[in-house]
Amino acid sequence: MPALRAVVFDMDGLMFNTEDVYYRVGVELMRRRGRQYTKELSDAIMGRPPQACFETMIRWHGLDDDWQSLARESEELFLDFLDDTLAPMPGLLELLDALEAAGLPKAICTSSSRRLLEGILSRFSLEPRFRFTLTAEDIVHGKPHPEIYLKAAARFGIDPSEMLVLEDSQTGTRSAAAAGAFVVAVPGEHSQGHDFSAATLVASGLADPRLYAILGL
């Protein structure tokens, strides 16, 4: 295994319980249209960029909306729901402290929009702790395409194999693996049934001792 020189975090469901928020948003979006938001639909869109998510919703339920209007409505609902729902995932803050103590640089690669990323990170003053962040606006091809993780490695100036990526979804795990990164999957409540065969390690959480051992922390 090559020496790991940087760590990249997915955001939704990995750093924060935002998959809970997204599920509430999906339920409300569909309720307004007389439809149901199901676990099957949630699994189909988890980890994917906004256009792909909302186009899937539209096809799934035969909606008349365009994806842009659904995305705008979803963002407003998401930001409204954050204050009474958002929380860091267990072990996140301790892992950030350990990485900083070891001098390992960090980044975030998310399929969410920059507006949502900033809305989430600002509540915990976390953005300054990361070398950079990449969002849906920074790429052409969303996860599971490897573009976002290839860009991250280039920004760090390292080979993708020298970068450890933390992901909670099947889509994100496949994206990081296709880029050639060292992938650790951290399944959450909403992704327990996903296929994580592309990951090198499936961790029990961000406090998993095996993750700390791999990173030499």
Side-chain angles (χ1 to χ4, degrees), residues 19 62-63 90 180 183 207 214:
E19 293 300 347
L63 302 179
V183 191
I214 287 167

Side-chain angles (χ1 to χ4, degrees), residues 18 59 88 101 116 130 133 150 155 165 169 182 187 192 206 210:
T18 42
R59 289 194 302 272
L116 293 188
F130 291 86
T133 59
L150 293 172
R155 286 281 293 271
V165 173
S169 73
F182 187 101
Q192 286 290 339
L206 295 176
R210 295 172 297 167

Side-chain angles (χ1 to χ4, degrees), residues 48-64:
R48 305 195 69 196
Q51 182 173 350
C53 287
F54 294 112
E55 287 180 345
T56 300
M57 277 188 185
I58 290 165
R59 289 194 302 272
W60 198 280
H61 282 302
L63 302 179
D64 294 329

